[in-house]
């Protein structure tokens, strides 16, 4: 079954075609993040105006790429040329079985663009629409083009710009939300502290880049062997790291960074790198500690990561280390960065595993869609 996914919940305009929930035929993402870099955060009106511009070209590209890939596959299989049309909308009706679209959570102006596009396609082609919760869909990056299929039960950590959520998932249709952030999300903590340091948006990759130069400095020093802090380093709190629940809190980190910046004589490349290093260490320490504790408590077979922050290299390093040190029999799944950040392939994949089509008239935007209650 081929599903066309559409994702416009934040600043991306994304369309993808995925076969049987696992095989990515096309995956096209256009992001307006460079525009937001100048303002240090997303301005919803700017995001949705860009999405209006890019929705149709991105849709066309996803369908054309899908057609090209289909042609290559059929050529391989038949060992002869088959007739091929570059007009995506003509071949569209016959090649796609359903349309999946993010209905929330997200920015209302942005969500509407994807939803209205999906409804129009459904009306014109008579294909069913599958409404998708964007946060749940992030988990499905772990099923895409993946040779190592996750084994249930799993603990999934979804860490994005707006969410930090932990789920216990026993099967595709048995989900339990076990914890989340009480205030700022992990990605938000990266974005806000990056802004305080004068770095661009999105803050996560900027902080990671600056942190790596400080990490190089540390590893060049003798202290690296003992993994101890370098004297004089900035020290930030690890909020809620010792609480027995699976909740998080990252807003205090931002306050601590403001306080430490106040004590710093000068913000230069060196001090920004030190701050970045410690911010990344603090956020990743808490994420790893809580997720591993949940995995142990529920005796799971796999840990899955998803969302933009899952692209963080230090985070994956620490997960691997923690599993190895604890001699845990848990397989760790971290999707490639392109599938961690917002994309429509995960929307199509989720829709395949939760096939719950609705008539287009019933599809509604839900900017505050809950992640704590799964209704499937
Ligand atoms: O999932 P996503 O693309 O969009 C949302 O649904 O929010 O996540 C975006 C978030 C941003 O906060 C960004 O700073 C963060 O993911 N991010 C990272 C990295 N790449 C993106 N955070 C840390 N390290 C990264 N390499
Ligand atoms: Zn997301």
């Amino acid at each position: 079954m081929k599903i066309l996914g559409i994702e416009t919940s934040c600043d991306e305009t994304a369309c993808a075609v995925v076969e049987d929930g696992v095989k990515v035929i096309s995956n096209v993402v256009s992001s307006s993040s460079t525009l937001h870099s100048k303002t240090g955060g997303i301005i919803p009106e700017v995001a949705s105006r860009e999405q209006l511009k890019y929705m149709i070209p991105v849709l066309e590209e996803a369908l054309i790429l899908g057609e090209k890939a289909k042609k290559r596959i059929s050529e391989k299989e038949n060992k002869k040329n088959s007739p091929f049309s570059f007009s995506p909308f003509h071949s569209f009706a016959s090649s796609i079985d359903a349309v999946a679209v993010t209905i929330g959570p997200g920015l209302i102006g942005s969500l509407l663009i994807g939803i209205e596009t999906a409804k129009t396609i459904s009306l014109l082609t008579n294909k069913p629409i599958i409404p998708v919760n964007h946060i749940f869909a992030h988990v499905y990056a772990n099923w895409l083009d993946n040779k190592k299929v996750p084994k249930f039960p799993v603990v999934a950590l979804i860490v994005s710009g707006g969410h930090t959520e932990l789920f216990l998932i026993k099967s595709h249709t048995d989900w339990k939300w076990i914890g989340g952030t009480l205030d700022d999300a992990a990605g938000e903590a990266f974005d806000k502290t990056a802004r305080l340091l004068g770095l661009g948006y999105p803050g996560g990759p900027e902080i990671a880049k600056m942190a790596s130069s400080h990490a190089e400095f540390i590893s060049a020093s003798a202290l690296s062997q003992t993994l101890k802090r370098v004297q004089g380093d900035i020290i930030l709190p690890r909020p809620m790291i010792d609480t027995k629940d699976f909740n998080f809190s990252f807003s205090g980190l931002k306050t601590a960074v403001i306080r430490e910046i106040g004590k710093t004589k000068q913000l230069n490349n060196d001090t920004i790198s030190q701050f970045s290093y410690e911010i990344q260490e603090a956020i990743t320490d808490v994420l790893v500690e809580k997720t591993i504790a949940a995995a142990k408590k529920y005796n799971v077979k796999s840990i899955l990561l998803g969302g933009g922050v899952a692209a963080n290299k230090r985070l994956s390093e620490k997960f691997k280390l923690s599993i190895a040190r604890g001699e845990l029999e848990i397989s760790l799944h971290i999707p490639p960065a392109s599938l961690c950040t917002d994309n429509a392939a995960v929307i199509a994949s989720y829709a395949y595993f939760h096939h719950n089509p609705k008539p287009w008239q019933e599809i509604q935007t839900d900017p505050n869609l809950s992640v704590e209650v799964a209704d499937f």
Side-chain angles (χ1 to χ4, degrees), residues 47 55 148 174 224 234 252 282 306:
M55 187 71 252
K148 199 170 83 174
D174 182 353
S224 67
I234 294 142

Side-chain angles (χ1 to χ4, degrees), residues 279-359:
I279 290 166
Q280 181 172 259
E281 290 302 302
I283 296 173
T284 52
D285 274 351
V286 183
L287 293 176
V288 172
E289 184 82 19
K290 293 261 171 171
T291 309
I292 295 284
K296 281 185 187 165
K297 176 171 175 182
Y298 294 107
N299 203 15
V300 298
K301 292 198 172 115
S302 325
I303 289 177
L304 313 185
L305 263 55
V309 180
N312 187 277
K313 293 273 180 297
R314 185 68 177 136
L315 183 66
S316 57
E317 234 172 68
K318 281 187 178 171
F319 264 116
K320 282 177 199 154
L321 220 75
S322 181
I323 289 172
R325 278 189 187 152
E327 295 178 4
L328 306 175
E329 284 186 18
I330 295 174
S331 80
L332 176 68
H333 298 253
I334 304 178
S338 61
L339 294 173
C340 286
T341 49
D342 284 349
N343 67 85
V346 295
I347 307 300
S349 175
Y350 175 91
Y352 176 80
F353 290 105
H354 301 85
H355 198 75
N356 185 18
K358 295 247 162 72

Side-chain angles (χ1 to χ4, degrees), residues 112-292:
L112 274 171
I113 292 162
I115 290 173
E116 292 309 312
T117 307
K119 283 181 170 185
T120 310
I121 292 170
S122 175
L123 176 69
L124 291 176
T125 63
N126 215 17
K127 303 287 175 183
I129 300 191
I130 302 157
V132 175
N133 181 319
H134 170 87
I135 299 301
F136 296 163
H138 269 302
V139 172
Y140 282 82
N142 294 285
W143 268 266
L144 290 169
D145 287 341
N146 196 349
K147 297 200 175 53
K148 199 170 83 174
V149 178
K151 286 206 179 92
F152 292 115
V154 314
V155 156
L157 171 71
I158 302 304
V159 264
S160 70
H163 288 265
T164 300
E165 315 290 350
L166 269 174
F167 299 98
L168 170 65
I169 309 174
K170 292 185 179 164
S171 74
H172 287 295
T173 52
D174 182 353
W175 289 49
K176 189 176 169 217
W177 178 85
I178 54 172
T181 185
L182 304 177
D183 41 56
D184 290 355
E188 197 175 354
F190 273 114
D191 295 337
K192 286 182 173 169
T193 52
R195 195 173 177 180
L196 291 171
L197 296 173
L199 301 173
Y201 176 88
E206 298 281 320
I207 296 251
K209 200 163 70 195
M210 293 305 285
S212 65
S213 55
H214 188 61
E216 273 165 28
F217 163 74
I218 294 177
S219 61
S221 79
L223 282 171
S224 67
Q225 305 309 317
T226 60
L227 285 176
K228 278 188 190 150
R229 289 173 193 283
V230 174
Q231 278 264 306
D233 260 0
I234 294 142
I235 297 177
L236 296 171
R238 271 62 175 157
M240 293 183 74
I241 198 160
D242 294 322
T243 60
K244 296 286 168 245
D245 56 22
F246 299 118
N247 291 326
F248 303 84
S249 165
F250 290 109
S251 71
L253 201 59
K254 183 186 60 198
T255 317
V257 170
I258 295 173
R259 201 175 46 238
E260 290 295 323
I261 289 178
K263 288 192 219 157
T264 309
K265 284 194 194 85
Q266 199 190 1
L267 268 187
N268 53 29
N269 245 13
D270 229 30
T271 46
I272 292 173
S273 298
Q274 277 184 48
F275 268 108
S276 299
Y277 178 82
E278 181 61 0
I279 290 166
Q280 181 172 259
E281 290 302 302
I283 296 173
T284 52
D285 274 351
V286 183
L287 293 176
V288 172
E289 184 82 19
K290 293 261 171 171
T291 309
I292 295 284

Side-chain angles (χ1 to χ4, degrees), residues 22-37:
V22 294
K23 188 169 177 206
V24 180
I25 308 264
S26 65
N27 187 16
V28 182
V29 182
S30 162
S31 172
S32 57
S33 70
T34 45
L35 288 177
H36 308 300
S37 185

Side-chain angles (χ1 to χ4, degrees), residues 13 30-32 49-59:
T13 312
S30 162
S31 172
S32 57
R49 281 178 190 226
E50 285 303 295
Q51 284 161 325
L52 269 179
K53 268 194 247 164
Y54 289 106
M55 187 71 252
I56 299 302
V58 166
L59 175 65

